[in-house]
Amino acid sequence: MTHDNAVAVTVHPAWLPDAALAPLRELPSAVLGSGPCLDTARAELGASPSASTADAALVVAAVSDVGSPASVGLTQLPEVPAGGHAIVRTADRTVVLGADGPAALRGLYAVVREVAVARLSGVAPGPGTVLSAPEQPLRMLDHWDNVAVHPVMGQVERGYSGGSIFYADGEVRADLTRVRDYARLLAATGVEAVGINNVNVHAREARLLTDGLGDVARIADVFRGYGIRIFLSVSFASPRLLGGLDSADPLDPDVAAWWASAADRVYAAVPDFGGFLVKADSEGQPGPFAYGRSHADGANMLAAALRPHGGTVLWRAFVYNHRQDWRDRRTDRARAAYDHFAPLDGTFDDNVVLQVKHGPMDFQVREPLSPVLAAMPRTRLALELQVTQEYTGQQRHVCYLAPAWREYLGFRLDGARSVASIVAGAGGGGAPAGGVAAVSNVGDDEFWTGHPLAQANLYAFGRLAWDSTLTAEDVLDEWIALTFAGAAGPDLARVRPALHEVMDGSCQRYEGYTAPLGVGFMVTPGTHGGPSVDGYEYSPWGTYHFADRDGIGVDRSSATGTGFAGQFPSPWRETYESVETCPDELLLFFHHVPYSHVLGSGKTVVQHIYDSRADAVEGLGGVEAAWESLADLVGSAVPVAFDARVRERLDGQRASAVEWRDQVRSYFWRKSGVKDASGRVVY
């Protein structure tokens, strides 16, 4: 595969190499019905449009295209779940039935996955019926791609994988082959929506809504064949920027009429358009506050424009004061989303989804879940994750995020329901359904994600959005089985444990040598890569750790601090309020404690900081040895270029981890004056 750069690039096939499809392509197959996704399924299998089902060992169909059970070789048809699929295996055939064309295609990819995993595990699926339905209605990836290269943020904001797959030289790419390959990868995980431009909407990106609609339609055409809708990020100030109006006041009838007309034009070009994604009154982006209006006023005005077309407004809750005075110990960025949005519960229209970052700060390695997720039972909510590794190693460090995401999705934030249940609108209470969204980590890099192993995060997002009960280990097995489907059986059996050694504990290891105990933001300002312990300590961004000679941490208790702990429902309100019951891994997020405070491990805070930084770096030895154990498979099971990139990234990870270790350990020695009891070198 190549794309329209000046230099042709061979693109790694990620988790859909030809070897993964080969076992199914070798079977006589039939795909019933027509439509973009069924045509895609037919192309994947090489099936003839008029192929008979009589001799087919594999049949794929939307259930509405099946005249009778006998027509697909079955005695009865299963009840296919809404949005999902059924896989029926008999002694002589496999039948994939989807609720519709996109669901049938996803069912086909599920069979590809099951065949690959069976080869990895040595256990083939037996006869019977497997039903699968998406847990989350919305399963979306947001691209922070700029059409024009931004002078500070570049082509892809917080992108660590090259340029955009959508845009080049200030325009939508003429060749969208790479976009098609990407849509295929996403369909195989269950992702069903993609936002194609940056939430920080600059002047060129804003025009996608107007004179760029022809190109937007071309992108939508590509995604449609894989059952994926597209969304546009729009500027709230568009009526002024693009329409020549004097105002963007959401209660101004002329503004509402402009947006209604804009929506009409979009749907005329893209009939299955998903809707608008909006970042408003956040980090300098315009919003309804300029007119004395609420976020509900702004979101509902856009919702009214989209409603005739069945469209949705995704309104981000990432709103806080980014011009904070660091001397002010009472203003707390962590409180901001709750303070702005919780009072508005029940006032948003039913085609508005409030998109809430998983934590109250900004995708830190360790922070609590956002209490907003439990505070708005009458509002459609979407959990927002970050696949791109802005604060988790920038795709230069191995950091497999699925264990953290599974923890978030399974966390019983209201004491009863999991976060996955809350945003899905399940588990009682009559809550409306939202979903899960994440910031993509893809660019035009030959490995899609910069670090080849970071592909596993993109894969895992789609799978966990589909089913949050999957274990992180099982998802990793799926990715390994598919990605290395071309490896010989004995070689695959070696790749599997080596990659688990590299990846299973990688997120905890990264946390181990970076910011400790939930304190966060000890990163280089601007780039957010590498250590700078005091980099944000006197900044306007509200990202402080308040280390002094006696202790460290932010007092967010209700009794003596900012009151953030009080925003949580029971039992977490009481748990986080007390130093005695607050989990150690979040201690410094909620409390300012002396360096001598004793953790559950029996170590003091400062000794934990010393030891955990050093231990985490030492743990990289096992990671490097595990990858080295596959050296003799390079050129066969492991592609040469894949190996070279992983080795380069592991070398960079070690150098960065050592810098993190030495800076953090030395900082706290110099700040506290407390010696490291282990006797290891501190600078």
Side-chain angles (χ1 to χ4, degrees), residues 533-544:
V533 180
D534 275 341
Y536 278 107
E537 192 59 18
Y538 304 99
S539 78
W541 295 95
T543 52
Y544 314 124

Side-chain angles (χ1 to χ4, degrees), residues 517-644:
L517 301 174
V519 74
F521 277 103
M522 292 182 170
V523 292
T524 302
T527 66
H528 298 169
S532 181
V533 180
D534 275 341
Y536 278 107
E537 192 59 18
Y538 304 99
S539 78
W541 295 95
T543 52
Y544 314 124
H545 57 69
F546 297 136
D548 54 34
R549 67 178 184 177
D550 299 316
I552 180 176
V554 184
D555 184 356
R556 291 188 164 104
S557 69
S558 295
T560 58
T562 69
F564 172 68
Q567 292 183 338
F568 286 85
S570 294
W572 303 109
R573 177 189 300 117
E574 296 79 12
T575 299
Y576 296 143
E577 175 72 17
S578 168
V579 173
E580 285 70 33
T581 57
C582 183
D584 284 345
E585 65 269 20
L586 289 171
L587 180 66
L588 302 185
F589 192 97
F590 284 101
H591 298 281
H592 187 90
V593 299
Y595 295 114
S596 58
H597 177 84
V598 178
L599 302 172
S601 65
K603 293 183 179 182
T604 63
V605 165
V606 72
Q607 192 60 46
H608 167 83
I609 293 172
Y610 291 148
D611 289 348
S612 53
R613 308 310 98 177
D615 292 346
V617 173
E618 289 177 11
L620 291 175
V623 171
E624 294 155 349
W627 188 257
E628 184 61 32
S629 73
L630 304 178
D632 62 310
L633 302 183
V634 175
S636 55
V638 181
V640 172
F642 192 105
D643 172 71

Side-chain angles (χ1 to χ4, degrees), residues 362-624:
D362 191 10
F363 300 130
Q364 296 303 290
V365 182
R366 178 71 66 175
E367 53 181 309
L369 271 293
S370 172
V372 175
L373 294 164
M376 304 187 71
R378 296 177 294 164
T379 302
R380 297 176 67 190
L381 300 175
L383 178 72
E384 182 177 297
L385 305 171
Q386 192 176 44
V387 184
T388 193
Q389 293 173 230
E390 179 180 357
Y391 295 102
T392 53
Q394 304 199 342
Q395 283 140 238
R396 302 199 66 83
H397 297 235
V398 180
C399 192
Y400 179 47
L401 295 168
W405 295 338
R406 194 172 186 279
E407 178 184 327
Y408 306 154
L409 288 162
F411 194 87
R412 298 192 179 278
L413 187 58
D414 66 0
R417 295 176 300 159
S418 68
V419 167
S421 293
I422 291 171
V423 297
V436 180
V439 187
S440 173
N441 64 345
V442 160
D444 67 356
D445 177 79
E446 64 179 300
F447 294 105
W448 296 97
T449 57
H451 199 313
L453 302 185
Q455 291 177 11
N457 287 331
L458 183 62
Y459 178 85
F461 168 74
R463 294 293 290 131
L464 291 174
W466 184 273
D467 181 0
S468 67
T469 68
L470 294 168
T471 70
E473 293 78 13
D474 284 347
V475 171
L476 185 58
D477 269 347
E478 292 178 4
W479 178 78
I480 292 168
L482 289 163
T483 302
F484 297 92
D491 295 345
L492 186 60
R494 289 176 53 196
V495 169
R496 179 190 195 182
L499 281 174
H500 276 281
E501 179 67 25
V502 170
M503 300 178 73
D504 282 348
S506 57
C507 192
Q508 296 95 321
R509 190 178 301 112
Y510 184 83
E511 181 181 1
Y513 54 74
T514 55
L517 301 174
V519 74
F521 277 103
M522 292 182 170
V523 292
T524 302
T527 66
H528 298 169
S532 181
V533 180
D534 275 341
Y536 278 107
E537 192 59 18
Y538 304 99
S539 78
W541 295 95
T543 52
Y544 314 124
H545 57 69
F546 297 136
D548 54 34
R549 67 178 184 177
D550 299 316
I552 180 176
V554 184
D555 184 356
R556 291 188 164 104
S557 69
S558 295
T560 58
T562 69
F564 172 68
Q567 292 183 338
F568 286 85
S570 294
W572 303 109
R573 177 189 300 117
E574 296 79 12
T575 299
Y576 296 143
E577 175 72 17
S578 168
V579 173
E580 285 70 33
T581 57
C582 183
D584 284 345
E585 65 269 20
L586 289 171
L587 180 66
L588 302 185
F589 192 97
F590 284 101
H591 298 281
H592 187 90
V593 299
Y595 295 114
S596 58
H597 177 84
V598 178
L599 302 172
S601 65
K603 293 183 179 182
T604 63
V605 165
V606 72
Q607 192 60 46
H608 167 83
I609 293 172
Y610 291 148
D611 289 348
S612 53
R613 308 310 98 177
D615 292 346
V617 173
E618 289 177 11
L620 291 175
V623 171
E624 294 155 349

Side-chain angles (χ1 to χ4, degrees), residues 37-223:
C37 290
L38 291 168
D39 290 344
T40 298
R42 199 168 280 117
E44 287 283 26
L45 294 171
S48 167
S50 58
S52 168
T53 61
D55 300 318
L58 174 63
V59 179
V60 179
V63 70
S64 60
D65 291 321
V66 177
S68 67
S71 68
V72 290
L74 301 178
T75 57
Q76 64 179 25
L77 296 180
E79 287 288 332
V80 178
H85 59 263
I87 300 172
V88 185
R89 289 184 174 85
T90 66
D92 60 352
R93 70 175 53 196
T94 298
V95 179
V96 178
L97 299 174
D100 52 21
L105 178 62
R106 288 191 286 266
L108 171 61
Y109 289 128
V111 174
V112 174
R113 179 172 62 245
E114 290 181 355
V115 169
V117 170
R119 183 167 175 265
L120 181 75
S121 66
V123 180
T129 300
V130 175
L131 303 179
S132 184
E135 181 176 22
Q136 301 298 334
L138 176 75
R139 306 177 304 281
M140 179 170 173
L141 282 164
D142 299 342
H143 280 259
W144 289 357
D145 294 28
N146 300 314
V147 179
V149 175
H150 189 270
V152 176
M153 290 299 178
Q155 179 87 74
V156 182
E157 183 167 337
R158 306 307 178 193
Y160 310 104
S161 311
S164 172
I165 64 170
F166 301 111
Y167 314 112
D169 303 319
E171 302 294 339
V172 174
R173 289 181 181 272
D175 181 358
L176 295 178
T177 302
R178 189 75 186 264
V179 175
R180 186 176 302 280
D181 296 337
Y182 178 56
R184 178 173 177 257
L185 291 173
L186 296 187
T189 71
V191 168
E192 58 87 35
V194 169
I196 65 170
N197 64 299
N198 194 353
V199 293
N200 293 315
V201 183
H202 308 110
R204 177 62 185 88
E205 291 74 46
R207 287 168 39 214
L208 289 172
L209 185 62
T210 53
D211 55 311
L213 282 178
D215 284 330
V216 170
R218 287 199 301 117
I219 294 173
D221 287 345
V222 172
F223 278 111

